[in-house]
Amino acid sequence: MVKNLDILKYRKLENLTFNFNQQINLISGTNGTCKTSILYLVSNSYQKIVKTKVAKEVQDCLNIIQDINTLMNPKIETLTRGDKEYNDPAPNYKGKLFEVTYTDDSTLDFRKHNSQSSDRYSLKPAYKKQGTDKLPEMPIIYLGLSRLISYGEYNDIDVERIKKLLEKKIPDEHLSTVEAILNKEIRDLKLQNIKQKLPDNYQQEINEIFNDFTGITVTENTYHKVANLKHRADFKSDIQGVDSNTISAGEDNLYMIITALISLKFYYEAIQTKEISPIQSILLIDEIDATLHPSYQVKLLKLIRDFSEKYKIQFIGTSHSLSLLEYSLDMKDNVIYLLDSGSTVVPFSKDLDIMSIKMFLQEQTAMQMKQNSKIPIFTEDAEARMMLKVLFDHYAEANIDYFPGVIRNFHIVEANLSSEALLNIFNDYILSNKFLRSICILDGDQHSRKSLTNNIIVLPGNDNPEALLLKYLTDVYDETQDYYKNFWDATSMVIKNGYQKSVVRRDIILKHEEIERGLLQLKEISKSKGKRREAYKKLFNEHHYFFNELFKFWVKDPQNSKAIDSFFKDFRSMFKKTALAHGIRVTLWP
């Protein structure tokens, strides 16, 4: 496998390192970001396996792989030529262009080699004098947009060389015809061998997988050339009117990709040295999502993952599909996104998520994507919202590098709803589809009713705001701990705003005691319902500034840090769960 690709200079790629894992690697980016060039460089890092050194069955496998890869001359110089003029991938640049690190940590440097006979170049290892370096062998299948293309396996007949020899004997107007005939003969000869050399059980498996995707049962198949574009499967099916001529382009290409996977499985099961290397073959696919429905895309990548794990196939592909990229990110695959900065390409590697990719692929700014979309937060009352804002400020101060950016994505709804009303809304089966895009934060005394499944969390403190702060005020007032003395410091904002201890006792503590006595009297005559909430709301409104400062003091109290950390752990989970529904990047909160 290719472990690392260190590029000094190749087209827009300069001084970049690409790391690949053993299984799934997906590259994305807008057009012109050299995604396909990376596949070229990976494929150019190997040579074909010498067939005379392997068993007969393995020879058949390699012949099939080579026969699959017959659309065009696979040598990289013909694909990077660009047009009739010499297209230099590294103008005015000499020496090593890139370095490949392989599975065993061995490395090879590659340089540009200019042809003496034509306006083209090749990429070859810069072998050391007297050294033992050699290009490693590996079966590679490359599926290009015209399906199928390979770079790891080389044609035995050099069409270009034959054409050069005939130039003096055949008029120019006939040279292209000769070239086309030669290519056709080579390709048709190779493709007719696929059915002959691929054992029946593998052919049957191709058809079974194709049936699982499409519901079409293939009854017989061969392979033939479609005009001058590609080779494809030619088959009949069990459904009248459905055959290789009537299936969609997506189903056509799907059949070819499945054939490639089964061929690499055939190779793996034929070789006898599976333990030597963690990777036995490489599959490269350019725009794997091309012509495929999103459900097919994800199902196909799942199939490739399964084959990669079982048969030691390294997969590297390119894609523009948001659904496929999102699935791949969720599966923790190696996803690389390339940004075009004009003259060079820059990988976007920090905090890559599907919203970032969507923003880049659709060429929108973050603000354009948001369009004022925010995550709604529902609370019970104004006191809860005051506490929440203090908590946000506290957490933002401690995490200044990212949390202020997170806060901007929330909308705290200015509505007073009882805990019962909020629970009924967020637990309602029908409403859940709408409200699971929102977050419900109950008072701390509702801790037992927390439900992350239904987006319901609770404020820290295990009590409602007024009970929590009035109880805390009693301890702070009595200065039962040294920390509490800081609240009454002459330089504190509480004192500067006139809340000396005597004023606090008169206007808040004694008022609190008076409220409780009045509630007891009302309870005796069964008229206390709703009076507690009404009385304490009035007290909080009269001294809003004081209670706000008291809660700031509470959140900085070391003994409350565990409860605050637990709250933000739950709150972060809710952000991750709701952000994508509003077009917000989940990686804003690392």
Side-chain angles (χ1 to χ4, degrees), residues 54-83:
V54 297
K56 174 65 169 60
E57 189 178 21
V58 178
Q59 288 183 34
D60 288 343
C61 297
L62 296 174
N63 286 332
I64 290 169
I65 291 171
Q66 184 165 321
D67 290 344
I68 290 174
N69 300 311
T70 56
L71 180 59
M72 64 172 66
N73 186 330
K75 291 183 180 179
I76 190 170
E77 56 266 30
T78 64
L79 292 159
T80 53
R81 182 167 42 168
D83 53 31

Side-chain angles (χ1 to χ4, degrees), residues 386 487 492-499 540-552:
M386 177 271 289
F487 190 75
S492 73
M493 292 303 296
V494 172
I495 299 298
K496 287 182 177 180
N497 279 273
Y499 283 97
F540 264 67
N541 287 335
E542 288 176 353
H543 301 285
H544 180 271
Y545 175 81
F546 176 81
F547 284 109
N548 191 70
E549 292 299 311
L550 181 62
F551 190 63
K552 288 181 183 178

Side-chain angles (χ1 to χ4, degrees), residues 8 19 151 177 208 216 219 233 244 295 346 357 455 480 544 555:
L8 278 70
N19 302 312
Y151 298 99
T177 303
E208 288 173 356
I216 298 171
T219 55
S244 54
S295 63
V346 181
I357 292 175
N455 292 15
T480 56
H544 180 271
V555 298

Side-chain angles (χ1 to χ4, degrees), residues 92-111:
N92 304 316
Y93 194 94
K94 295 182 179 180
K96 179 171 74 171
L97 296 185
F98 64 95
E99 178 184 272
V100 177
T101 302
Y102 298 94
T103 312
D104 59 359
D105 291 323
S106 63
T107 62
L108 273 181
D109 297 343
F110 288 77
R111 59 181 176 80

Side-chain angles (χ1 to χ4, degrees), residues 7-55:
I7 303 174
L8 278 70
K9 174 64 179 174
Y10 188 83
R11 298 195 179 282
K12 288 184 176 182
L13 306 171
E14 291 187 29
N15 300 316
L16 297 176
T17 296
F18 295 99
N19 302 312
F20 301 103
N21 64 28
Q22 293 182 11
Q23 294 180 349
I24 306 298
N25 303 270
L26 211 55
I27 306 169
S28 187
T30 54
N31 293 334
T33 49
C34 300
K35 301 183 297 297
T36 302
S37 292
I38 295 172
L39 300 188
Y40 290 164
L41 299 184
V42 169
S43 63
N44 200 73
S45 304
Y46 288 91
Q47 63 176 318
K48 66 178 181 179
I49 295 174
V50 179
K51 299 173 190 173
T52 56
K53 296 181 180 180
V54 297

